[in-house]
Amino acid sequence: MALLKKREDLTDSNDDNVLFALGLSNSFGDIVLMNGDKEDNIDAKIEEVRQMDLDDETKFKIINEYNNLRNAKSFKEKTKYERNIRALLRK
């Protein structure tokens, strides 16, 4: 019976499939996810936020979350930043 490895043991591996399963990579074997269009979309969203009628503190928080979203390395991080942006826009 095979033993399960700890997450720390798996992250030492350079296997794309393992890193993709852990949410640490955007490539899965021969399939590579391209996020080039998102970069332009984020810049447009930041400009929209700057034009909104919000207090400065909220604007800076939302812009910071968009910049974090741009630099996110995993799907889990991206989801977290998108959720934070939605929560700030509701206020």
Side-chain angles (χ1 to χ4, degrees):
M1 186 166 170
L3 297 173
L4 297 176
K5 291 186 176 183
K6 293 181 181 177
R7 182 180 170 131
E8 293 82 21
D9 296 337
L10 292 172
T11 56
D12 293 337
S13 171
N14 288 333
D15 185 21
D16 285 339
N17 299 339
V18 172
L19 294 176
F20 181 82
L22 293 172
L24 301 174
S25 173
N26 283 342
S27 62
F28 181 72
D30 294 336
I31 301 172
V32 178
L33 302 175
M34 301 300 287
N35 295 332
D37 296 337
K38 288 260 184 177
E39 185 90 17
D40 297 332
N41 192 15
I42 290 175
D43 290 334
K45 295 276 187 179
I46 288 174
E47 285 303 317
E48 287 178 21
V49 170
R50 290 183 187 192
Q51 301 299 324
M52 288 182 182
D53 187 25
L54 299 171
D55 60 298
D56 289 337
E57 182 179 351
T58 306
K59 282 184 185 181
F60 293 137
K61 285 181 182 179
I62 295 172
I63 291 171
N64 188 32
E65 291 296 325
Y66 273 119
N67 287 327
N68 289 338
L69 177 63
R70 177 182 298 159
N71 297 326
K73 297 196 182 343
S74 69
F75 180 75
K76 186 176 180 180
E77 284 181 351
K78 289 179 184 180
T79 305
K80 179 180 85 171
Y81 295 132
E82 289 170 349
R83 186 175 48 241
N84 290 346
I85 291 168
R86 283 193 303 268
L88 287 168
L89 287 173
R90 274 189 235 142
K91 291 183 179 180

